[in-house]
Amino acid sequence: MQAERPGSSLTGNAGYLLSRVGTAIQSGFKDVLSRWQLRPQQFAILTALSAAGGASQQELCQALGIDSGNMVELVDGLEALGYARRRRDPRDRRRYLLAMTEAGQAAFADMTKAAGEYTGGFLAPLDKAEQAALTAALTKLYVTTPEGRRLPP
């Protein structure tokens, strides 16, 4: 009887494979965003702002699961890059409203394109049906996570 090669039993372990594939795609995604000096959470903020047209920092904290102390640092970085602008809410001076600048909108379009190209390249070994099935399965799993449960349906 022939023994298994070391590590070969791991290829049948979904948790291990998800962890390793997740690490690989996260690393590549960070590399893509580094072209704009961004971190993934800042990309998430820009994505939310693009969809909503603007939001309060507190709304973003709740929607994205980002601690308010971290949010201040992330938004400071976006402002320093000229991608977002924060201003006091005229109806409640205690709140800050955040919106993308024109430069931020242009950069976000480029980032989104680059991230899509990276993801497409990463998923290239799968045909379109397999990519759709993977996305559906990951979405089904994601909504069961604490982060996924915070998002609107």
Side-chain angles (χ1 to χ4, degrees):
M1 185 160 114
Q2 190 173 3
E4 286 186 28
R5 292 181 321 165
S8 64
S9 62
L10 291 173
T11 59
N13 183 311
Y16 175 79
L17 292 172
L18 282 168
S19 172
R20 301 315 308 149
V21 169
T23 297
I25 199 157
Q26 180 183 40
S27 176
F29 188 68
K30 284 180 178 180
D31 287 345
V32 169
L33 294 180
S34 72
R35 296 180 214 163
W36 291 272
Q37 302 173 308
L38 278 191
R39 297 176 8 209
Q41 286 184 315
Q42 289 171 311
F43 182 77
I45 291 167
L46 291 177
T47 301
L49 291 175
S50 178
S56 75
Q57 286 185 202
Q58 188 59 34
E59 290 168 335
L60 290 168
C61 287
Q62 292 170 349
L64 301 174
I66 297 173
D67 176 77
S68 60
N70 290 343
M71 180 63 75
V72 170
E73 177 191 351
L74 293 166
V75 171
D76 285 348
L78 291 171
E79 281 191 311
L81 292 166
Y83 296 155
R85 181 182 65 255
R86 130 177 75 192
R87 62 180 173 83
R88 292 252 185 220
D89 183 341
R91 290 171 283 147
D92 182 348
R93 301 281 301 152
R94 296 168 295 177
R95 287 175 20 128
Y96 282 100
L97 300 176
L98 190 63
M100 260 199 282
T101 62
E102 285 184 29
Q105 291 170 357
F108 181 70
D110 292 340
M111 291 171 212
T112 302
K113 182 178 182 212
E117 289 170 355
Y118 169 72
T119 301
F122 192 89
L123 296 177
L126 304 177
D127 65 32
K128 294 295 180 194
E130 289 170 324
Q131 289 180 27
L134 175 63
T135 300
L138 290 173
T139 299
K140 195 172 192 177
L141 291 172
Y142 178 70
V143 299
T144 69
T145 68
E147 181 179 309
R149 285 192 294 269
R150 280 194 302 273
L151 299 176

